[in-house]
Amino acid sequence: MLLVVLVGLLAPLPAASQHTGRIVGGLSPEAKEITETSGSEVREIANEVRGTLEAALMVTLTEFEPLEYKTQVVAGTNYLIKVRVKAENDSEPSYVHLKVFVPLPYTNEGPSLVNFETDKAVDDEITFIGHW
């Protein structure tokens, strides 16, 4: 038994090229698209903080369509979500980036809007928003 444990300790670690490229606590490298068939959980998370965003912007949004997202695993999960929005008086939609924190399930707490950025373009990359 002891020999098996020692052999396991002496086994080489995987090469860096075998890792996924993710850094513990880091932001997911690629944005994931939200479609009709994927990303429904993220769509629901975004919809849960819609009212908070509308209150902060002091507008009623007639369009609110989450498009893509990145995640960061912490003591829960931070979601950075790109959303196409249109207020009732706007002629064209615009884009906002949301930072939403979803705590671990045992807390029985829902998502909370931590921060957001307005005046984004459809091609703007989702990056860190505000202070982490």
Side-chain angles (χ1 to χ4, degrees), residues 4-15:
V4 173
V5 172
L6 290 176
V7 170
L9 291 175
L10 297 175
L13 294 173

Side-chain angles (χ1 to χ4, degrees), residues 14-35:
S17 63
Q18 293 174 334
H19 292 285
T20 62
R22 292 200 57 178
I23 298 172
V24 175
L27 192 61
S28 58
E30 298 294 323
K32 297 177 186 170
E33 187 176 357
I34 300 170
T35 65

